[in-house]
Amino acid sequence: MAQAAIQSTDRFERKREAILDASTALLNARGVKGLTLGIAAAAVDLSTTSVTYYFRRKDDLAAAVMLRGVHSLTEIVNVALAEPTPAQRLHALLRLYLQRMRRAALGEAPQLPLFSDLRALSMPQRGEVSAAYLKMFRRVRQIFEAPELAWLSRGRRTARTHMLLNQLFWAAAWLPKYDPEDYGRVCERMYDVLAAGLAADNSVWAPQPVPIAEAAPRGRQEIACETFLTAATKLINARGYRGASVDKISAELNVTKGSFYHHNDAKDDLVVACFERTFDVMTRVQRQALTLPGDQWTRLSSAAAALAEYQLSEHGPLLRTSALAALPEAIRREMVQQSDKVSDRFASMISDGIAEGSIRPVDPFVAAQMLNATVNACGELGAWVPDVSQKAAPAVFARPLLMGVFSR
């Protein structure tokens, strides 16, 4: 009987892990909104009723996927923290994470889940996953605990940890452009950017003002649309796609459902409009920065600083890329292409800066994607560092990537 019980437990755990493996891929592709028990069951050739034996509700399943991912990340972080110096810990974290991503790309390990849709979970599952994520976050923050970094305030360590984790998470979006066997080289390039920044030896942090108000719409009709999209963006960023219902968006704007549908045929249309607004703002700032006098380092740092400030301004925030997972595949591909155009413009600025000597020789594509991730993550900076001001955002968040994560 004891042997039979052990075998039964083993079968239960194997099937549970298979469900979680399949559900992780579904969550990453469709978000919490698109992960249903029926779809998860079909992915592992089970009936929906069979899956409910393991997970009673879809949020139980999504939470289990994220909790397993937090556990996997915590194991990686714990190994990295065994290294003696902050730089060695950072390098180990990147190396181990990219190795894990390589194994997943080769089908040797399950995917790691994206946590961008965590807010779409209902309570109490959201609370449980958030608590586990926060515990993991605090472990990552210990990378910066060393006598030589004692000058870093708790808020600045928190900001740099948030930026660092978002580099890992956003890498999942652009790593597929590389062969898995090249992930090791990608790791070294990411580490080079994080550890040493982009500035050449003779470059200093002195971004020039880019008037962020000019990046915002001006005409009456444009301003009215902007008001609508800004409120919707804040709601989607704060509550996730599923949490930002039409009722809640209408209540936030103090308009009727009929008015909502006058502007948007469906919620997917609204998300697309919010993304288009985000890419338009980023493009306007980049183009304004390109007209500044000086070298490409000045222009690049000025664009990054302006976008960080914009995120915390009355005009912000920009839409988080987490909303991508909720969109239909065809629309998501189109939005990713628009995002790539923004990254490619950063890459061109970096390439020109390398050629003129104002920016260090780095991989322009990797560095541009990392800068994009930083700008995107800045939208949540106020939640992680509540006392940060709009004017301080560039120095607190953008500067550590551009000058090096361990730089003063």
Side-chain angles (χ1 to χ4, degrees):
M1 289 292 291
Q3 184 63 32
I6 291 173
Q7 291 176 347
S8 177
T9 300
D10 288 344
R11 283 195 300 270
F12 178 90
E13 288 300 325
R14 285 196 300 271
K15 184 60 68 175
R16 185 179 187 276
E17 289 300 305
I19 294 171
L20 290 176
D21 290 351
S23 297
T24 300
L26 291 168
L27 178 73
N28 289 348
R30 302 170 179 236
V32 168
K33 171 177 173 281
L35 175 62
T36 67
L37 295 180
I39 293 174
V44 289
D45 296 321
L46 288 176
S47 66
T48 302
T49 303
S50 297
V51 172
T52 59
Y53 180 65
Y54 299 88
F55 305 100
R56 292 183 60 188
R57 293 176 294 274
K58 63 174 289 184
D59 272 23
D60 293 330
L61 175 57
V65 166
M66 292 187 187
L67 286 171
R68 189 178 69 158
V70 170
H71 178 72
S72 296
L73 279 175
T74 301
E75 289 182 331
I76 289 174
V77 174
N78 287 341
V79 174
L81 288 176
E83 297 293 335
T85 69
Q88 289 171 311
R89 295 170 199 159
L90 174 62
H91 190 269
L93 176 67
L94 291 172
R95 174 174 51 80
L96 293 168
Y97 184 81
L98 270 291
Q99 285 176 354
R100 181 64 171 74
M101 295 293 284
R102 173 184 174 277
R103 291 180 59 219
L106 293 173
E108 298 173 357
Q111 295 182 24
L112 289 170
L114 301 177
F115 300 99
S116 52
D117 221 18
L118 193 159
R119 293 182 186 85
L121 290 173
S122 301
M123 293 297 285
Q125 293 90 346
R126 184 172 71 246
E128 183 182 5
V129 177
S130 296
Y133 182 90
L134 182 57
K135 187 175 180 180
M136 181 272 294
F137 183 97
R138 288 168 176 160
R139 291 290 289 163
V140 177
R141 192 168 57 192
Q142 291 180 28
I143 287 175
F144 300 99
E145 292 183 3
E148 62 270 30
L149 296 177
W151 55 271
L152 271 175
S153 67
R154 182 184 181 86
R156 288 180 180 265
R157 282 187 286 119
T158 295
R160 295 179 192 215
T161 302
H162 176 53
M163 186 269 284
L164 174 56
L165 281 171
N166 274 270
Q167 299 303 333
L168 302 184
F169 301 151
W170 181 242
W174 55 266
L175 270 175
K177 295 178 183 288
Y178 292 87
D179 187 278
E181 298 305 327
D182 293 326
Y183 284 14
R185 290 192 303 113
V186 173
C187 170
E188 296 307 315
R189 293 172 182 186
M190 290 182 70
Y191 173 74
D192 179 49
V193 170
L194 285 168
L198 301 184
D201 288 342
N202 60 339
S203 298
V204 296
W205 176 257
Q208 300 303 301
V210 174
I212 59 176
E214 293 184 13
R218 299 183 191 178
R220 177 182 296 180
Q221 187 173 358
E222 203 176 14
I223 290 173
C225 182
E226 169 77 359
T227 301
F228 191 92
L229 295 179
T230 300
T233 295
K234 289 178 180 177
L235 208 60
I236 295 169
N237 283 355
R239 304 184 187 181
Y241 179 92
R242 195 179 77 173
S245 66
V246 173
D247 285 333
K248 290 175 181 174
I249 294 171
S250 300
E252 183 81 9
L253 295 167
N254 196 27
V255 298
T256 64
K257 275 190 180 183
S259 177
F260 172 90
Y261 286 114
H262 174 73
H263 291 280
N264 302 274
D265 293 333
K267 196 160 71 168
D268 285 348
D269 297 328
L270 177 61
V271 176
V272 169
C274 290
F275 267 123
E276 289 176 341
R277 165 187 172 267
T278 291
F279 299 141
D280 183 53
V281 167
M282 295 182 75
T283 298
R284 292 188 197 192
V285 168
Q286 288 175 322
R287 288 175 177 164
Q288 288 173 2
L290 284 170
T291 66
L292 293 173
D295 54 26
Q296 288 295 334
W297 161 251
T298 299
R299 295 172 186 140
L300 182 72
S301 58
S302 298
L307 287 168
E309 190 175 336
Y310 189 98
Q311 289 275 43
L312 272 68
S313 76
E314 61 179 351
H315 307 292
L318 303 175
L319 189 63
R320 294 275 286 139
T321 52
S322 58
L324 281 171
L327 291 172
E329 178 62 28
I331 300 176
R332 183 164 67 245
R333 283 198 301 269
E334 183 182 347
M335 294 300 100
V336 169
Q337 288 173 0
Q338 290 196 41
S339 175
D340 285 344
K341 289 180 181 178
V342 174
S343 291
D344 289 346
R345 195 172 293 108
F346 277 138
S348 295
M349 296 170 74
I350 293 169
S351 295
D352 291 346
I354 293 170
E356 72 182 10
S358 66
I359 293 177
R360 293 177 54 244
V362 296
D363 185 313
F365 173 80
V366 171
Q369 290 290 351
M370 294 176 73
L371 181 52
N372 224 10
T374 300
V375 170
N376 187 262
C378 191
E380 290 185 311
L381 181 59
W384 287 100
V385 189
D387 59 346
V388 67
S389 68
Q390 174 188 332
K391 292 297 183 183
V396 170
F397 207 67
R399 188 182 186 282
L401 178 78
L402 295 174
M403 299 294 289
V405 75
F406 302 119
S407 65
R408 281 185 178 269

